[in-house]
Amino acid sequence: MHKNIAVIILAAGKGERMKSSLPKVMHNICGQPMLAYVLSLTRTLKPKKTVIVLGHQYEAIQNKLPAEITAVRQRKLLGTADAVREALFKLKGFKGTVLVLYADTPLLKKESVDKLLEYHTENKLDATLLTARMNKPKGYGRIVRDKYSSISAIVEEKDADDFEKEIKEINTGIICFNKSSLEAALKKVRPDNRKKEYYLTDTIKILYKNGKLVDGVKINDIHEAIGVNSRLELARANLVMQQRINEKFMRSGVTIADTYSTFISYGTRIGRDTLIYPFTVIERDVRIGKRCFIGPFAHLREGTRVADDVTVGNFTETTRARIGAKTLIKHFSYIGDAAVGARVNIGAGTVTANFDGRSKHTTVIKDRALIGSDTVLVAPVKVGRGALTGAGSVIIKNIPDNKKAVGVPARILKGKR
Ligand code: UD1
Ligand code: MG
């Protein structure tokens, strides 16, 4: 493992190009904020220290960070070099490799960072860049190489001349530095560019001119380099992440009938031999068991727990719901704030009316109950084990085990079910 590294995460940018009141790094990709991806990648690297630079909506983000991460505030967004300078104040006692990660690059993989760090340490370099070849490099900083093909500078798109714009090798933004080389170079960075900002990328030219050792490692999967600056790039990054998630499930034994219309959040758990039909949306914090049938057109929302051998069929929405084994919810239903037992049959059009205008209430449906089509369960309410509701009934009272209830509002009938 990498022994002596500290990570600096840059996340202070306003994200002008997002045209949003939400800070850029808090926009979601597959159900979690962009920032969460870089944080989990950082955790796997086991750095000595992690410093994140925040600016826009500092408090809101800082409150959500894990305790081991130090946050610094960049008051004026003077550029990426200025942001790194701020972070270095929190790394006073540290000596070693400083890895800079951009929080707007959520698709970056651990393997690529490992490769970068290894190359950097083995060759005792002053700075090592992660680069990528792109056919359409628009918007990215270009890697300039000298006649010996050594990296001599990074030129930002805005400052590039026509010749430099043709360069296909780009800066992903991920750079690792020897700490003292970084500090020395930062002192010489000037805001002499179109944006009048202090560019971290200028340190490369400075190091090169001072005879320091700079090199790059190329990544093969250019998707990893996608920097999210606009909603278009957000959508592109989302698509790539979604395919990664879906492919991971398929490799682990889940059938996904159409991966392009199946939206599964990061962190979802799904058991083997479950089959997911098209146009299904699975939001964050959902678990699904083995051998289930989900969709088409199913919407499983936060806090849904589906046991084994369950069917959640078309036009069904679930939220904060536990569904027991072998239960069938086959057609257009809403099951929210509910605990549904095993082997329950929920008829078409069943609705748990969980909200009374002020607060949410729970519906409990015990094992083997039979809920007739078009039943409305007005929560809080309980349907007993083996009980039955008639088609179109509105349930406002608890139904004892093995009883039958019909009507609007439903009356409980005499005798057994
Ligand atoms: C940057 C790189 C560019 C690279 C691209 C890759 C610079 C100058 N340019 O451009 O070479 O190809 O990323 O995606 O670094 N930030 C701060 N404080 C600031 C400014 C930015 O913390 O004052 C943060 C942003 O939140 C973001 C990151 O730094 O996470 C990069 O800034 P951004 O404005 O997105 O730079 P790009 O134009 O994408
Ligand atoms: Mg960017």
Side-chain angles (χ1 to χ4, degrees), residues 240-283:
V240 175
M241 184 54 73
Q242 192 61 75
Q243 290 319 307
R244 278 193 200 168
I245 292 172
N246 291 2
E247 282 167 23
K248 192 188 115 225
F249 280 121
M250 291 188 273
R251 273 194 286 272
S252 68
V254 175
T255 296
I256 295 179
D258 174 22
T259 104
Y260 292 101
S261 67
T262 303
F263 305 91
I264 306 175
S265 287
Y266 188 91
T268 304
R269 287 199 236 152
I270 308 176
R272 272 192 184 200
D273 290 315
T274 282
L275 206 160
I276 313 225
Y277 289 110
F279 304 104
T280 290
V281 176
I282 299 175
E283 294 187 15

Side-chain angles (χ1 to χ4, degrees), residues 17 24 104 228-229:
R17 291 163 276 183
K24 175 164 81 172
D104 70 349
V228 176
N229 301 307

Side-chain angles (χ1 to χ4, degrees), residues 162-221:
D162 288 346
F163 176 74
E164 287 161 338
K165 276 191 185 135
E166 287 300 309
I167 299 174
K168 300 275 191 272
E169 191 184 6
I170 62 102
N171 169 35
T172 62
I174 315 308
I175 311 180
C176 55
F177 293 95
N178 170 290
K179 193 190 169 206
S180 46
S181 314
L182 169 65
E183 284 171 325
L186 278 176
K187 289 201 180 105
K188 295 184 183 151
V189 174
R190 296 285 168 266
D192 50 3
N193 49 58
R194 289 279 298 275
K195 278 176 90 182
K196 304 267 178 294
E197 282 187 2
Y198 294 85
Y199 286 160
L200 179 65
T201 44
D202 280 354
T203 56
I204 299 307
K205 178 177 66 191
I206 294 164
L207 290 169
Y208 174 81
K209 280 191 182 152
N210 287 292
K212 300 286 182 186
L213 297 173
V214 179
D215 206 349
V217 170
K218 269 193 205 125
I219 44 171
N220 301 326
D221 176 6

Side-chain angles (χ1 to χ4, degrees), residues 315-317 329 331-336 345-353 363 365 370-377 389:
F315 308 107
T316 292
E317 173 181 340
I329 315 171
H331 336 270
F332 36 98
S333 291
Y334 170 65
I335 307 295
N345 195 316
I346 296 197
T350 294
V351 169
T352 53
T363 301
I365 304 173
L370 195 81
I371 308 298
S373 294
D374 232 351
T375 295
V376 178
L377 297 146
T389 71

Side-chain angles (χ1 to χ4, degrees), residues 9-15 17 24-25 53-55 74 76-84 101-105 139-142 154-157 170-174 195 197-202 225-229:
I9 301 172
L10 299 193
K14 238 195 291 195
R17 291 163 276 183
K24 175 164 81 172
V25 295
V53 185
L54 301 172
Q74 189 189 9
K76 281 193 192 143
L77 303 181
L78 299 176
T80 43
D82 178 67
V84 169
L101 299 176
Y102 288 180
D104 70 349
T105 311
Y140 292 89
R142 311 291 208 279
I154 300 173
V155 181
E156 291 306 308
E157 163 115 358
I170 62 102
N171 169 35
T172 62
I174 315 308
K195 278 176 90 182
E197 282 187 2
Y198 294 85
Y199 286 160
L200 179 65
T201 44
D202 280 354
I226 295 179
V228 176
N229 301 307

